[in-house]
Amino acid sequence: MDSGWLLFAEIAVPITAALIIMAIPSVYKQQVRWVATAAAFTMFALSIIIFAVYNYEDGGLQFDLRLAWLENVAFLGKDGITLHLAVDGISVPMVLLTGIVIFAGSLVSWSIEYRNKDFFILLLLLVTGVFGVFQSQDLFFFFFFYELAVLPMYLLIGVWGASSDFGTYVRTKEYGAMKLTMYLVGGSALVFIGIFATFVEAGQGTFDLPVLGQVAYDETFQKTFYPFFMIGFGVLAGLWPFHTWSPDGHVAAPTAVSMLHAGVLMKLGAFGILRVGMSLFPEGAEFWAPALLVLGTTGALYGAISAMGQRDLKYVIGYSSVSHMGYVLMGLATLNPIGVNGAVLQMFAHGVMTALFFAMVGAVYDQAHTREIWTFGGLAQRMPRFVAFFAIAGLSSLGLPGLAGFIAEFNIFAGLFKTYPLFGALGILAAAITAVYILRLLSAAFFGPLNEKWAHLKEMRPLEQVAGAVLIVFIAFMGIWPDPFVDRIAQSVLSLPGIG
Amino acid sequence: MDWSLLAPEYILAGWAAMVISLDLFWGRLRKDQLAYVAAAGALVSTLVSLIWVNDSLSFGDLLQVDNYTTFFRVFFGLVAFFTCLASAQYVKDRLLHPGEYYALILLTAIGGTYMAAAKELLTAYISLELLSFSLYVLTSYAKFDLKSNEAGLKYMLLGAFSSAIFLYGMSLVYGVTGTTSFAGIATALSGDTSGIGFALFLGIVLMIAGLGFKVAAVPFHMWTPDAYEGAPLPITAFISAISKSAGFALFIKLFGQALLPMADDWRWIIAGLSAATMALGNLVAIQQHNIKRLLAYSSIGQVGFMLMGIAALTPHGPSDPASALLLHLAGYVITNLAAFVCVIVYYNQTGKEEIADFGGLAERAPFLALCLTISLFSLAGMPLFAGFATKFILFQAAAEQDLLWLSGIAVFMSFISLYYYLVIIKQMYLVEPAEKTRLPVPWLEYGVIAVLIVGVFVVGLYPQPLFDGVESATNAVFQTTQAATSAGVGP
């Protein structure tokens, strides 16, 4: 099918844009911004097309495209390694999410002045990797793009990030960048080993995921190697206790990178568990599900409780990401259709919502140069739109019906109650804690009497408002009319082995 | 005997003689041109060697001119070419006697080529010595620099010692099999089903030790950091490229051809060395603060990865581990040369080589910083660059031969290596420069770096041509092996 080139274009556009930007002399900052935003908009449009054109009644893999990369290598089989792109109902929402977040992210990055050329090149590389992972059906390229998504992070955080001063000590951006990179690459080392083991065990001479998915792996083998994927990808998904890179890294990162990272990259982890771990090793997944459930629940509760104790606005969001990714892992661990469905929905819902959060935090930080919650007060009087946007993200985060978060959490909890009622209750407890810290934050920082110190603050920039509006449209869209998402996801979730 | 088979090496040797004599007649200023003269010689020899693509001809029973030899002729020719170009400025500024310097580089390439072409032990040994002696002299070439003298002395003493060990191992193998020819040894060993005797085993162990020294495998790596640090910078780059590749060229011939029938007896030794080498190299590299020493330890770590390719060879198994090894070797050498040329350019202008001195390089020389970053990411095995593809294929080849545990260690060591590469990248991008002056990159070095970096991308994104070349090279070795062993088993 020729439409496979849509997926190829989704990867080619950011790379091409990066090359174009590379050719622009660095003094033309405005032109760099335009090229980057045009590319981001193209990706956004493509992702909407892919989402809309995907035929959920047929389900399965669509937009299939194969480009031979390395052929006739004896031990890799005659097909060698192929760039095999295709999407199913689970990848499609993720591609859309990436399109949305990169578009919003490119808009809020207009304010970057320092070496903005290099910034956009790295950002575009990052997003190439993300699209690649969601669309690859070949383990080699899956891993290639996965590492590609991690590669630019160090410089993005290290050069354009910000250090956090806690008074008694400083969390430097270098620390955050190094910690994040080492955790993620460490996690991917496990994945690497898992891929080798799978390839050898399958003995098919191919890295093609659909082919590898047909193989019935030995049960002991599945049980041994599933954890490599579960923990390896889990690190990126913020799996407790390997989540500590996430708040530090997200806080240190510049706004657009936090948005992409918390919004999309953490989803790569959960997506990897689903696409590689669970679909190749159903018995392994079943065996380890209780462990994943316990760790996920711990993460959800731990993240929520930690978020309550934070004074830095960005750390609150950082820990809330850990908490929300905990829900995703809980949903995956239920291994029943409704729970896994909810997990995928939550990946989308959390992605859009947390991107909005980080965009808003960036907007206020640019003006106030602080993120201390308790020094704010009554910002609503100066920045009404900002506060409205932030509140929408917050309400979606605590699961208010009518917004995206509700649909997702509802499904996850329904799935949990079906198999593990106790954990369902714990999940709801985490959601309740979320409500506490979000509402408390809103009232302390944004409502109430205006703190005169902040009288000079102005409404956020128009571009930030556009970015926020785009994100809000999708939060509301999914909250009010979730069918397009549910249709696509449910079909593919049901076709996964071992779900039911 | 068809003497014309050796034409590329005649050219190299003749060119070396010419460079030395030009040095005698040319005035001081014109001597700076010797680098280009020598580089042209390397290039001509490389081009001439392409005549024998897809041929398989034997020079007596000493040398074989086949795709394997051609691969290494091209490989070493290009390494010498780039080394000469990268040396030009350095030699002009800091060294005396440019004529001999460039001549020795060309001679080293001959030694390396014949290590790959050798069909029997003594030729291999003599070639090894030609390579080693040239490198000893080059290492101590900075005559008035104590460190360079120390490095040369250490390298030579330990090198002579290891050559003796290698020779002793050879004599034992000869004693057991009664022949020095690789094919003959293979035939003798595969005909003998009584298992490995002590003399043969000792011979193999000693040969591993001797070659292990040349490629800097743990525990025979002690010379590497000192030699790397003391040698003139371009020579450090040259050693890291040619000493290793020539060592592995012979390793593949010796262990993939002559000793392959006994693979089950030596595989585990190599696997153990490989694990130790990659662990020590990468862990010790973390502690380094001098960029030459860091690259030395990182190259030791890379040798650990490459040894996996030898350890994964099995008597009747596929030759792919060897192909994967050559692929990684090629990718590594291109990347490593690119990294070194960046360091050389920086050193030429500042005379500094501590990692801390690279602070703020991104402000002062963005091109250098970018290219060095690309090379380091490639060495760490990140995607888009050579290192990712070649490591993936090499680790995969080892995993395929029941060495998943070794691949696992390799993956983790590769992960650790990212840390110390990031430390350099951090210096370049995140630290404020001590001086703000721009560092201009001369056009020649600019071109050399650009070509090498393009190579890094080509290997990383489109390795098919290189893979085809590598595969036809290893096939040349392994078809001979299969012919020899089946002849041995048959009657």
Side-chain angles (χ1 to χ4, degrees):
Chain A
M1 201 154 72
D2 281 330
S3 57
W5 292 101
L6 274 176
L7 302 185
F8 187 78
E10 193 79 279
I11 294 172
V13 165
I15 284 276
T16 318
L19 290 174
I20 294 174
I21 293 178
M22 225 176 260
I24 301 177
S26 53
V27 288
Y28 295 107
K29 290 188 189 295
Q30 202 63 13
Q31 282 79 348
V32 166
R33 292 181 182 119
W34 274 110
V35 173
T37 307
F41 183 75
T42 317
M43 288 182 257
F44 178 46
L46 280 171
S47 68
I48 292 179
I49 294 173
I50 292 170
F51 185 83
V53 174
Y54 181 85
N55 185 335
Y56 60 87
E57 279 165 2
D58 296 352
L61 292 173
Q62 299 184 13
F63 304 102
D64 210 84
L65 177 78
R66 286 165 197 267
L67 299 171
W69 186 68
L70 196 56
E71 289 175 297
N72 291 322
V73 180
F75 62 103
L76 295 176
K78 73 172 167 43
D79 293 334
I81 297 169
T82 312
L83 176 60
H84 181 187
L85 301 177
V87 283
D88 67 358
I90 299 171
S91 344
V92 161
M94 294 298 111
V95 171
L96 177 63
L97 169 68
T98 315
I100 299 167
V101 176
I102 182 62
F103 180 53
S106 76
L107 290 179
V108 304
S109 304
W110 276 56
S111 56
I112 288 181
E113 288 293 335
Y114 178 67
R115 299 171 68 169
N116 77 339
K117 171 180 163 176
D118 304 346
F119 176 83
F120 279 114
I121 292 173
L122 290 171
L123 194 68
L124 288 165
L125 270 185
L126 170 73
V127 80
T128 311
V130 176
F131 276 123
V133 175
F134 288 140
Q135 300 178 353
S136 290
Q137 293 296 331
D138 183 283
L139 267 183
F140 174 85
F141 276 103
F142 188 94
F143 193 66
F144 180 96
F145 286 119
Y146 187 81
E147 294 263 282
L148 183 59
V150 178
L151 175 71
M153 289 309 290
Y154 182 79
L155 289 175
L156 279 171
I157 298 177
V159 178
W160 292 274
S163 306
S164 307
D165 191 347
F166 290 96
T168 45
Y169 67 101
V170 177
R171 271 286 148 87
T172 60
K173 55 186 183 175
E174 289 86 356
Y175 172 85
M178 187 61 96
K179 188 170 181 178
L180 181 143
T181 313
M182 292 320 278
Y183 261 86
L184 299 193
V185 179
S188 69
L190 288 177
V191 174
F192 214 156
I193 298 171
I195 290 177
F196 289 150
T198 310
F199 178 87
V200 174
E201 176 77 11
Q204 301 289 312
T206 177
F207 286 104
D208 205 52
L209 266 171
V211 178
L212 291 176
Q214 300 298 320
V215 179
Y217 299 91
D218 177 56
E219 197 181 327
T220 332
F221 177 81
Q222 293 199 16
K223 286 178 184 166
T224 317
F225 282 96
Y226 179 74
F228 281 76
F229 291 125
M230 185 180 96
I231 297 174
F233 285 123
V235 172
L236 185 48
L239 175 72
W240 189 89
F242 306 106
H243 67 283
T244 60
W245 60 271
S246 148
D248 285 332
H250 292 161
V251 171
T255 304
V257 176
S258 305
M259 288 168 67
L260 266 172
H261 209 280
V264 185
L265 250 83
M266 287 180 90
K267 276 70 198 176
L268 292 188
F271 182 79
I273 296 182
L274 192 58
R275 164 78 2 113
V276 182
M278 287 170 62
S279 52
L280 295 187
F281 300 156
E283 288 167 40
E286 202 185 329
F287 182 77
W288 289 97
L292 186 61
L293 184 70
V294 171
L295 294 178
T297 313
T298 316
L301 282 168
Y302 180 90
I305 294 169
S306 305
M308 276 222 286
Q310 300 304 319
R311 287 156 43 197
D312 184 311
L313 205 49
K314 225 172 171 182
Y315 265 103
V316 175
I317 315 301
Y319 276 107
S320 95
S321 287
V322 174
S323 170
H324 283 89
M325 287 308 290
Y327 296 149
V328 173
L329 299 174
M330 289 163 84
L332 292 179
T334 60
L335 292 181
N336 60 37
I338 184 159
V340 177
N341 229 327
V344 181
L345 286 169
Q346 171 76 344
M347 279 153 74
F348 185 87
H350 173 249
V352 187
M353 168 196 99
T354 208
L356 181 59
F357 263 138
F358 278 117
M360 293 304 115
V361 174
V364 73
Y365 181 73
D366 276 353
Q367 292 193 48
H369 302 291
T370 179
R371 296 183 303 247
E372 283 280 311
I373 297 166
W374 309 112
T375 64
F376 290 124
L379 293 192
Q381 297 176 27
R382 288 285 163 224
M383 313 168 73
R385 280 190 205 140
F386 160 78
V387 171
F389 284 15
F390 198 99
I392 291 173
L395 295 176
S396 174
S397 163
L398 57 80
L400 187 78
L403 296 172
F406 172 73
I407 306 292
E409 286 173 26
F410 183 81
N411 274 287
I412 293 177
F413 296 147
L416 280 170
F417 274 113
K418 238 170 138 180
T419 18
Y420 306 99
L422 172 66
F423 287 92
L426 288 174
I428 290 182
L429 176 63
I433 302 174
T434 308
V436 173
Y437 69 75
I438 292 288
L439 294 176
R440 200 177 55 153
L441 186 158
L442 287 175
S443 74
F446 303 142
F447 296 110
L450 177 67
N451 182 344
E452 283 310 314
K453 197 173 151 197
W454 305 115
H456 65 282
L457 293 190
K458 291 190 286 290
E459 188 55 87
M460 49 186 179
R461 280 184 287 268
L463 278 177
E464 286 162 350
Q465 297 185 21
V466 175
V470 170
L471 294 166
I472 287 172
V473 164
F474 282 92
I475 292 180
F477 177 57
M478 184 171 157
I480 297 164
W481 191 39
D483 288 8
F485 294 92
V486 176
D487 289 341
R488 284 167 177 76
I489 298 167
Q491 180 74 302
S492 294
V493 165
L494 277 177
S495 65
L496 287 173
I499 303 282
Chain B
M1 287 208 234
D2 184 1
W3 292 89
S4 70
L5 286 178
L6 310 184
E9 285 72 37
Y10 293 150
I11 295 176
L12 278 180
W15 218 286
M18 183 179 81
V19 170
I20 292 178
S21 25
L22 280 178
D23 186 30
L24 296 176
F25 298 111
W26 276 6
R28 202 169 155 64
L29 284 177
R30 284 178 75 191
K31 280 184 187 171
D32 300 338
Q33 313 293 333
L34 286 174
Y36 312 119
V37 176
L43 206 55
V44 169
S45 149
T46 306
L47 292 176
V48 169
S49 66
L50 292 176
I51 294 173
W52 290 277
V53 169
N54 290 336
D55 274 347
S56 182
L57 301 163
S58 179
F59 179 79
D61 276 330
L62 303 176
L63 298 166
Q64 182 76 18
V65 177
D66 51 16
N67 278 344
Y68 190 71
T69 307
T70 307
F71 177 82
F72 277 103
R73 274 176 170 165
V74 172
F75 191 90
F76 293 140
L78 291 179
V79 169
F81 173 73
F82 284 115
T83 311
C84 289
L85 291 183
S87 301
Q89 186 69 31
Y90 189 96
V91 174
K92 181 179 164 190
D93 294 346
R94 296 167 204 270
L95 297 180
L96 300 170
H97 314 299
E100 289 83 348
Y101 177 93
Y102 294 114
L104 281 169
I105 287 181
L106 297 183
L107 292 178
T108 317
I110 302 180
T113 306
Y114 284 164
M115 279 167 78
K119 285 183 81 176
E120 58 102 35
L121 288 171
L122 284 174
T123 315
Y125 176 75
I126 292 172
S127 322
L128 179 74
E129 289 298 272
L130 174 59
L131 175 104
S132 304
F133 275 88
S134 312
L135 289 179
Y136 301 153
V137 180
L138 284 171
T139 303
S140 48
Y141 215 82
K143 200 166 145 185
F144 301 110
D145 179 1
L146 275 181
K147 269 192 173 170
S148 173
N149 283 300
E150 182 195 330
L153 192 63
K154 266 189 191 157
Y155 190 15
M156 190 194 69
L157 288 177
L158 288 172
F161 186 59
S162 78
S163 292
I165 290 176
F166 186 57
L167 205 52
Y168 188 33
M170 275 167 50
S171 71
L172 286 171
V173 171
Y174 172 70
V176 172
T177 58
T179 170
T180 60
S181 124
F182 292 162
I185 294 174
T187 315
L189 289 182
S190 57
D192 178 10
T193 49
S194 61
I196 191 163
F198 180 71
L200 181 62
F201 183 68
L202 185 63
I204 292 176
V205 170
L206 293 178
M207 290 214 289
I208 290 177
L211 276 179
F213 175 88
K214 293 298 165 206
V215 299
V218 171
F220 318 109
H221 67 285
M222 302 294 185
W223 60 276
T224 319
D226 289 331
Y228 273 44
E229 194 189 355
L233 245 174
I235 296 306
T236 311
F238 192 53
I239 297 178
S240 78
I242 206 163
S243 173
K244 280 191 197 359
S245 350
F248 275 106
L250 184 54
F251 235 125
I252 290 176
K253 270 237 152 139
L254 204 52
F255 288 82
Q257 201 167 38
L259 301 173
L260 194 60
M262 291 288 148
D264 290 336
D265 293 300
W266 51 255
R267 276 184 74 190
W268 57 273
I269 304 181
I270 306 259
L273 283 186
S274 161
T277 307
M278 61 178 91
L280 186 127
N282 285 310
L283 290 175
V284 178
I286 296 176
Q287 304 236 344
Q288 304 305 316
H289 47 78
N290 178 298
I291 191 134
K292 281 163 141 184
R293 288 185 85 86
L294 182 129
L295 287 171
Y297 280 106
S298 107
S299 81
I300 293 175
Q302 297 282 343
V303 167
F305 300 146
M306 292 171 204
L307 282 171
M308 292 168 71
I310 305 286
L313 291 173
T314 48
H316 299 288
S319 61
D320 307 297
S323 309
L325 163 59
L326 286 189
L327 184 73
H328 184 62
L329 191 64
Y332 159 77
V333 166
I334 297 173
T335 312
N336 212 37
L337 279 180
F340 264 111
V341 179
C342 294
V343 176
I344 290 171
V345 173
Y346 183 72
Y347 185 82
N348 280 341
Q349 313 214 7
T350 60
K352 291 179 179 165
E353 55 181 37
E354 293 292 309
I355 292 170
D357 297 329
F358 282 75
L361 189 65
E363 297 278 334
R364 303 182 66 194
F367 177 76
L368 276 190
L370 176 67
C371 291
L372 191 50
T373 304
I374 289 175
S375 322
L376 294 176
F377 271 138
S378 172
L379 287 175
M382 295 310 261
L384 291 185
F385 315 126
F388 181 81
T390 61
K391 268 188 192 171
F392 193 100
I393 288 166
L394 179 62
F395 295 176
Q396 177 61 47
E400 191 79 334
Q401 304 299 327
D402 292 334
L403 289 173
L404 185 63
W405 63 273
L406 194 55
S407 299
I409 297 178
V411 167
F412 269 97
M413 288 306 152
S414 180
F415 154 58
I416 287 174
S417 74
L418 181 64
Y419 172 77
Y420 57 79
Y421 295 128
L422 277 181
V423 169
I424 306 180
I425 294 170
K426 173 181 160 190
Q427 282 293 332
M428 294 191 295
Y429 281 90
L430 308 191
V431 173
E432 284 291 309
E435 304 165 54
K436 292 276 184 190
T437 46
R438 291 280 286 201
L439 292 176
V441 181
W443 64 268
L444 175 73
E445 278 84 350
Y446 201 97
V448 169
I449 295 174
V451 169
L452 290 169
I453 290 292
V454 168
V456 170
F457 276 105
V458 170
V459 178
L461 294 175
Y462 186 54
Q464 182 85 46
L466 181 62
F467 208 98
D468 290 342
V470 154
E471 216 164 28
S472 69
T474 37
N475 280 344
V477 174
F478 281 84
Q479 270 155 15
T480 336
T481 316
Q482 265 140 26
T485 44
S486 56
V489 174

